[in-house]
């Protein structure tokens, strides 16, 4: 059986040397909670990690696509599926692995500090954070990206402190979901049907929702759902969903160093070639051409024509 710990196509991962971490762990603003290592693994087939004696840090695993399994301290195997997370405690034997047929995509963080164990939940079990009209899934992932960017500069003291401060908010977004959603989003009771659907699409931008999936979430038949959405927006639901994906892809190209195949995966396209065809059809140029154009305008300090 093939087993791989890391080294996957499209993976992103950062860590600091132990001597640097020891130095930072003595700083008052870092000591209570800090990052050892973090990353993102997309659709990682054969991913497998086993720690027979456990580790001396805590670990968050957040599954955003596919599914995987874990076993803690020799107990029964448990599934970790899409939109679920788990917090693994230190000093406890464990193993976890991607499902063979639906390998997971996961964000993960190794963290420790004098307050680290206070963020754990007992009993240890997968917990869901499902998309709905009040969810902030994309906000949470943007916060991860901010932490990742800051940690990438963590050889500079200020960036390490900033990453540690942001980690509080990131972990809190998992542990206090209702408060996290409430602190930004007002009551959605008066929002239009179309607005609620678009928000749901945005929260599932990396998925491949079908018309049936959308209709089921809003408790309509596919035909009724489609008619309601098209009446309000002028677009069919799936066409609108694809437009949102391409718009998000443009944003990634303009603001991130991600490779094109990584961007395709982030907006829910399994095949980069198919992503290229759809992008070209909608935007009028290929993704590589679009990125070259945007890069050229940024260098000149101008805005690209829309």
């Amino acid at each position: 059986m093939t087993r791989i710990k890391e080294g996957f196509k499209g993976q992103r991962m950062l860590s600091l040397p132990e001597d640097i971490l020891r130095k930072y762990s003595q700083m008052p603003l870092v000591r209570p909670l800090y990052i050892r290592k973090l990353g993102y693994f997309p659709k990682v087939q054969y991913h497998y990690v086993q720690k027979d004696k456990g580790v001396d840090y805590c670990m968050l695993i957040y599954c955003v696509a596919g599914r995987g399994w874990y076993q803690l301290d020799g107990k029964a195997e448990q599934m970790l599926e899409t939109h679920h997370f788990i917090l693994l405690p230190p000093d406890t034997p464990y193993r976890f692995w991607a499902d063979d047929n639906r390998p997971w995509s996961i964000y993960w963080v190794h963290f420790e500090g004098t307050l680290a164990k206070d963020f754990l939940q007992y009993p240890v079990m997968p917990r869901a954070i499902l998309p709905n009209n009040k969810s902030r899934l994309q906000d949470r992932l943007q916060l991860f990206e901010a932490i990742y960017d800051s940690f990438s500069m963590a050889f500079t003291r200020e960036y390490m402190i900033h990453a540690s401060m942001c980690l509080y908010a990131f972990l809190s977004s998992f542990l206090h979901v209702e408060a996290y959603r409430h602190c930004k989003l007002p009551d959605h009771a008066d929002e239009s049907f179309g607005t609620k659907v678009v928000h749901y699409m945005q929260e599932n931008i990396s998925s491949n929702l079908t018309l049936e999936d959308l209709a089921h979430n809003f408790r309509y038949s596919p035909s009724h759902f489609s008619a309601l959405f098209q009446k309000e927006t002028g677009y069919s639901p799936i066409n609108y969903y694809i437009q949102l994906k391409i718009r998000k892809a443009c944003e990634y190209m303009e603001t991130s160093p991600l490779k094109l195949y990584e961007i395709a995966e982030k907006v829910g396209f399994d095949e980069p070639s198919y992503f290229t065809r759809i992008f070209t059809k909608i935007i009028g140029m290929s993704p590589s051409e679009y990125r070259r154009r945007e890069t050229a305008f940024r260098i000149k300090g101008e805005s690209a024509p829309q």
Side-chain angles (χ1 to χ4, degrees), residues 147-173:
I147 294 171
Y148 190 93
D149 286 347
S150 190
F151 193 70
S152 71
M153 303 286 288
F155 283 97
T156 303
R157 175 178 175 273
E158 287 74 14
Y159 285 93
M160 183 63 179
I161 293 174
H162 182 68
S164 293
M165 296 296 100
C166 289
L167 182 59
Y168 284 92
F170 186 66
L171 294 176
S172 180
S173 77

mmCIF file of all heavy atoms in Angstrom, residues 147-173:
data_model
loop_
_atom_site.group_PDB
_atom_site.id
_atom_site.type_symbol
_atom_site.label_atom_id
_atom_site.label_comp_id
_atom_site.label_asym_id
_atom_site.label_seq_id
_atom_site.Cartn_x
_atom_site.Cartn_y
_atom_site.Cartn_z
ATOM 1 N N ILE A 147 -2.267 34.537 7.600
ATOM 2 C CA ILE A 147 -1.341 33.921 8.549
ATOM 3 C C ILE A 147 -0.176 33.276 7.802
ATOM 4 O O ILE A 147 0.989 33.413 8.197
ATOM 5 C CB ILE A 147 -2.078 32.879 9.413
ATOM 6 C CG1 ILE A 147 -3.112 33.563 10.306
ATOM 7 C CG2 ILE A 147 -1.088 32.084 10.258
ATOM 8 C CD1 ILE A 147 -4.030 32.593 11.029
ATOM 9 N N TYR A 148 -0.505 32.578 6.720
ATOM 10 C CA TYR A 148 0.534 31.903 5.922
ATOM 11 C C TYR A 148 1.546 32.915 5.396
ATOM 12 O O TYR A 148 2.761 32.708 5.487
ATOM 13 C CB TYR A 148 -0.135 31.149 4.770
ATOM 14 C CG TYR A 148 0.780 30.215 4.009
ATOM 15 C CD1 TYR A 148 0.874 28.870 4.362
ATOM 16 C CD2 TYR A 148 1.541 30.663 2.939
ATOM 17 C CE1 TYR A 148 1.700 28.003 3.672
ATOM 18 C CE2 TYR A 148 2.375 29.813 2.242
ATOM 19 C CZ TYR A 148 2.446 28.482 2.606
ATOM 20 O OH TYR A 148 3.279 27.627 1.913
ATOM 21 N N ASP A 149 1.047 34.029 4.852
ATOM 22 C CA ASP A 149 1.940 35.062 4.316
ATOM 23 C C ASP A 149 2.815 35.649 5.417
ATOM 24 O O ASP A 149 4.016 35.880 5.221
ATOM 25 C CB ASP A 149 1.130 36.176 3.659
ATOM 26 C CG ASP A 149 0.543 35.755 2.326
ATOM 27 O OD1 ASP A 149 0.966 34.705 1.797
ATOM 28 O OD2 ASP A 149 -0.342 36.454 1.809
ATOM 29 N N SER A 150 2.216 35.905 6.572
ATOM 30 C CA SER A 150 2.986 36.479 7.670
ATOM 31 C C SER A 150 4.030 35.490 8.187
ATOM 32 O O SER A 150 5.176 35.849 8.438
ATOM 33 C CB SER A 150 2.042 36.891 8.808
ATOM 34 O OG SER A 150 2.719 37.642 9.782
ATOM 35 N N PHE A 151 3.636 34.226 8.310
ATOM 36 C CA PHE A 151 4.562 33.205 8.810
ATOM 37 C C PHE A 151 5.711 32.972 7.828
ATOM 38 O O PHE A 151 6.811 32.603 8.229
ATOM 39 C CB PHE A 151 3.801 31.905 9.071
ATOM 40 C CG PHE A 151 4.580 30.888 9.862
ATOM 41 C CD1 PHE A 151 4.863 31.104 11.202
ATOM 42 C CD2 PHE A 151 5.025 29.720 9.273
ATOM 43 C CE1 PHE A 151 5.587 30.173 11.934
ATOM 44 C CE2 PHE A 151 5.739 28.777 9.994
ATOM 45 C CZ PHE A 151 6.032 29.008 11.329
ATOM 46 N N SER A 152 5.442 33.196 6.546
ATOM 47 C CA SER A 152 6.509 33.042 5.552
ATOM 48 C C SER A 152 7.619 34.079 5.765
ATOM 49 O O SER A 152 8.738 33.899 5.284
ATOM 50 C CB SER A 152 5.948 33.178 4.133
ATOM 51 O OG SER A 152 5.569 34.513 3.853
ATOM 52 N N MET A 153 7.292 35.146 6.495
ATOM 53 C CA MET A 153 8.266 36.209 6.799
ATOM 54 C C MET A 153 8.707 36.153 8.258
ATOM 55 O O MET A 153 9.252 37.127 8.795
ATOM 56 C CB MET A 153 7.635 37.570 6.515
ATOM 57 C CG MET A 153 7.140 37.757 5.102
ATOM 58 S SD MET A 153 8.484 37.980 3.944
ATOM 59 C CE MET A 153 9.000 39.641 4.406
ATOM 60 N N ALA A 154 8.479 35.011 8.904
ATOM 61 C CA ALA A 154 8.620 34.938 10.359
ATOM 62 C C ALA A 154 10.058 34.972 10.853
ATOM 63 O O ALA A 154 10.281 34.983 12.061
ATOM 64 C CB ALA A 154 7.917 33.687 10.895
ATOM 65 N N PHE A 155 11.051 34.986 9.972
ATOM 66 C CA PHE A 155 12.407 35.232 10.454
ATOM 67 C C PHE A 155 12.553 36.673 10.939
ATOM 68 O O PHE A 155 13.526 37.012 11.615
ATOM 69 C CB PHE A 155 13.424 34.938 9.341
ATOM 70 C CG PHE A 155 13.657 33.470 9.134
ATOM 71 C CD1 PHE A 155 12.995 32.777 8.147
ATOM 72 C CD2 PHE A 155 14.529 32.771 9.961
ATOM 73 C CE1 PHE A 155 13.202 31.423 7.958
ATOM 74 C CE2 PHE A 155 14.752 31.415 9.789
ATOM 75 C CZ PHE A 155 14.083 30.735 8.787
ATOM 76 N N THR A 156 11.584 37.506 10.573
ATOM 77 C CA THR A 156 11.510 38.867 11.103
ATOM 78 C C THR A 156 10.536 38.871 12.273
ATOM 79 O O THR A 156 9.409 38.405 12.157
ATOM 80 C CB THR A 156 11.018 39.846 10.022
ATOM 81 O OG1 THR A 156 11.896 39.774 8.905
ATOM 82 C CG2 THR A 156 10.976 41.264 10.553
ATOM 83 N N ARG A 157 10.979 39.384 13.401
ATOM 84 C CA ARG A 157 10.243 39.293 14.666
ATOM 85 C C ARG A 157 8.792 39.760 14.555
ATOM 86 O O ARG A 157 7.874 39.093 15.036
ATOM 87 C CB ARG A 157 10.991 40.111 15.708
ATOM 88 C CG ARG A 157 10.336 40.234 17.062
ATOM 89 C CD ARG A 157 11.245 41.027 17.988
ATOM 90 N NE ARG A 157 10.614 41.289 19.271
ATOM 91 C CZ ARG A 157 9.821 42.336 19.522
ATOM 92 N NH1 ARG A 157 9.558 43.201 18.549
ATOM 93 N NH2 ARG A 157 9.289 42.509 20.716
ATOM 94 N N GLU A 158 8.568 40.904 13.918
ATOM 95 C CA GLU A 158 7.227 41.472 13.866
ATOM 96 C C GLU A 158 6.246 40.550 13.139
ATOM 97 O O GLU A 158 5.073 40.468 13.491
ATOM 98 C CB GLU A 158 7.265 42.846 13.183
ATOM 99 C CG GLU A 158 7.871 43.953 14.023
ATOM 100 C CD GLU A 158 9.383 43.855 14.133
ATOM 101 O OE1 GLU A 158 9.981 43.084 13.341
ATOM 102 O OE2 GLU A 158 9.970 44.528 15.000
ATOM 103 N N TYR A 159 6.734 39.859 12.117
ATOM 104 C CA TYR A 159 5.853 38.978 11.366
ATOM 105 C C TYR A 159 5.478 37.735 12.182
ATOM 106 O O TYR A 159 4.362 37.228 12.087
ATOM 107 C CB TYR A 159 6.517 38.565 10.045
ATOM 108 C CG TYR A 159 6.510 39.660 9.013
ATOM 109 C CD1 TYR A 159 7.583 40.537 8.891
ATOM 110 C CD2 TYR A 159 5.424 39.835 8.162
ATOM 111 C CE1 TYR A 159 7.586 41.552 7.956
ATOM 112 C CE2 TYR A 159 5.414 40.856 7.218
ATOM 113 C CZ TYR A 159 6.492 41.706 7.119
ATOM 114 O OH TYR A 159 6.472 42.713 6.188
ATOM 115 N N MET A 160 6.410 37.246 12.976
ATOM 116 C CA MET A 160 6.102 36.101 13.825
ATOM 117 C C MET A 160 5.062 36.482 14.877
ATOM 118 O O MET A 160 4.122 35.731 15.140
ATOM 119 C CB MET A 160 7.373 35.591 14.518
ATOM 120 C CG MET A 160 7.142 34.355 15.373
ATOM 121 S SD MET A 160 6.598 32.917 14.415
ATOM 122 C CE MET A 160 6.475 31.674 15.708
ATOM 123 N N ILE A 161 5.207 37.662 15.454
ATOM 124 C CA ILE A 161 4.226 38.130 16.441
ATOM 125 C C ILE A 161 2.853 38.271 15.780
ATOM 126 O O ILE A 161 1.839 37.838 16.324
ATOM 127 C CB ILE A 161 4.672 39.469 17.062
ATOM 128 C CG1 ILE A 161 5.929 39.264 17.901
ATOM 129 C CG2 ILE A 161 3.553 40.068 17.914
ATOM 130 C CD1 ILE A 161 6.531 40.557 18.427
ATOM 131 N N HIS A 162 2.836 38.860 14.588
ATOM 132 C CA HIS A 162 1.564 39.043 13.884
ATOM 133 C C HIS A 162 0.910 37.696 13.578
ATOM 134 O O HIS A 162 -0.303 37.545 13.757
ATOM 135 C CB HIS A 162 1.793 39.821 12.596
ATOM 136 C CG HIS A 162 0.536 40.094 11.828
ATOM 137 N ND1 HIS A 162 -0.444 40.941 12.287
ATOM 138 C CD2 HIS A 162 0.081 39.610 10.632
ATOM 139 C CE1 HIS A 162 -1.447 40.990 11.411
ATOM 140 N NE2 HIS A 162 -1.145 40.181 10.411
ATOM 141 N N ALA A 163 1.686 36.719 13.123
ATOM 142 C CA ALA A 163 1.134 35.392 12.833
ATOM 143 C C ALA A 163 0.528 34.774 14.090
ATOM 144 O O ALA A 163 -0.552 34.173 14.051
ATOM 145 C CB ALA A 163 2.210 34.488 12.255
ATOM 146 N N SER A 164 1.216 34.936 15.217
ATOM 147 C CA SER A 164 0.698 34.389 16.476
ATOM 148 C C SER A 164 -0.592 35.079 16.900
ATOM 149 O O SER A 164 -1.535 34.421 17.363
ATOM 150 C CB SER A 164 1.750 34.536 17.584
ATOM 151 O OG SER A 164 2.866 33.728 17.324
ATOM 152 N N MET A 165 -0.659 36.386 16.744
ATOM 153 C CA MET A 165 -1.876 37.114 17.095
ATOM 154 C C MET A 165 -3.051 36.679 16.210
ATOM 155 O O MET A 165 -4.173 36.497 16.683
ATOM 156 C CB MET A 165 -1.643 38.618 16.955
ATOM 157 C CG MET A 165 -0.602 39.220 17.881
ATOM 158 S SD MET A 165 -1.029 39.108 19.646
ATOM 159 C CE MET A 165 -0.042 37.677 20.139
ATOM 160 N N CYS A 166 -2.788 36.502 14.930
ATOM 161 C CA CYS A 166 -3.854 36.082 14.007
ATOM 162 C C CYS A 166 -4.324 34.657 14.285
ATOM 163 O O CYS A 166 -5.471 34.308 14.000
ATOM 164 C CB CYS A 166 -3.374 36.192 12.566
ATOM 165 S SG CYS A 166 -3.174 37.885 11.976
ATOM 166 N N LEU A 167 -3.427 33.834 14.828
ATOM 167 C CA LEU A 167 -3.799 32.443 15.113
ATOM 168 C C LEU A 167 -4.932 32.369 16.130
ATOM 169 O O LEU A 167 -5.780 31.475 16.052
ATOM 170 C CB LEU A 167 -2.575 31.669 15.613
ATOM 171 C CG LEU A 167 -2.799 30.180 15.909
ATOM 172 C CD1 LEU A 167 -3.292 29.439 14.671
ATOM 173 C CD2 LEU A 167 -1.504 29.550 16.431
ATOM 174 N N TYR A 168 -4.978 33.303 17.081
ATOM 175 C CA TYR A 168 -6.100 33.343 18.020
ATOM 176 C C TYR A 168 -7.428 33.450 17.270
ATOM 177 O O TYR A 168 -8.377 32.717 17.536
ATOM 178 C CB TYR A 168 -5.964 34.535 18.972
ATOM 179 C CG TYR A 168 -4.951 34.381 20.070
ATOM 180 C CD1 TYR A 168 -3.648 34.817 19.908
ATOM 181 C CD2 TYR A 168 -5.303 33.820 21.294
ATOM 182 C CE1 TYR A 168 -2.708 34.692 20.923
ATOM 183 C CE2 TYR A 168 -4.379 33.690 22.318
ATOM 184 C CZ TYR A 168 -3.084 34.125 22.124
ATOM 185 O OH TYR A 168 -2.165 33.993 23.140
ATOM 186 N N ALA A 169 -7.496 34.390 16.337
ATOM 187 C CA ALA A 169 -8.736 34.606 15.587
ATOM 188 C C ALA A 169 -9.071 33.394 14.719
ATOM 189 O O ALA A 169 -10.240 33.005 14.598
ATOM 190 C CB ALA A 169 -8.608 35.860 14.723
ATOM 191 N N PHE A 170 -8.047 32.801 14.123
ATOM 192 C CA PHE A 170 -8.280 31.648 13.251
ATOM 193 C C PHE A 170 -8.857 30.469 14.041
ATOM 194 O O PHE A 170 -9.871 29.880 13.654
ATOM 195 C CB PHE A 170 -6.970 31.253 12.578
ATOM 196 C CG PHE A 170 -7.115 30.158 11.554
ATOM 197 C CD1 PHE A 170 -7.829 30.373 10.386
ATOM 198 C CD2 PHE A 170 -6.516 28.919 11.759
ATOM 199 C CE1 PHE A 170 -7.959 29.361 9.430
ATOM 200 C CE2 PHE A 170 -6.633 27.915 10.816
ATOM 201 C CZ PHE A 170 -7.356 28.131 9.647
ATOM 202 N N LEU A 171 -8.247 30.127 15.164
ATOM 203 C CA LEU A 171 -8.756 29.023 15.976
ATOM 204 C C LEU A 171 -10.135 29.346 16.547
ATOM 205 O O LEU A 171 -11.016 28.481 16.618
ATOM 206 C CB LEU A 171 -7.775 28.706 17.107
ATOM 207 C CG LEU A 171 -6.411 28.142 16.669
ATOM 208 C CD1 LEU A 171 -5.510 27.962 17.884
ATOM 209 C CD2 LEU A 171 -6.566 26.831 15.916
ATOM 210 N N SER A 172 -10.343 30.587 16.931
ATOM 211 C CA SER A 172 -11.644 30.989 17.464
ATOM 212 C C SER A 172 -12.744 30.833 16.421
ATOM 213 O O SER A 172 -13.891 30.516 16.754
ATOM 214 C CB SER A 172 -11.586 32.436 17.943
ATOM 215 O OG SER A 172 -12.827 32.854 18.465
ATOM 216 N N SER A 173 -12.406 31.014 15.150
ATOM 217 C CA SER A 173 -13.416 30.890 14.102
ATOM 218 C C SER A 173 -13.936 29.459 13.991
ATOM 219 O O SER A 173 -15.034 29.227 13.466
ATOM 220 C CB SER A 173 -12.836 31.335 12.756
ATOM 221 O OG SER A 173 -11.985 30.361 12.179
#
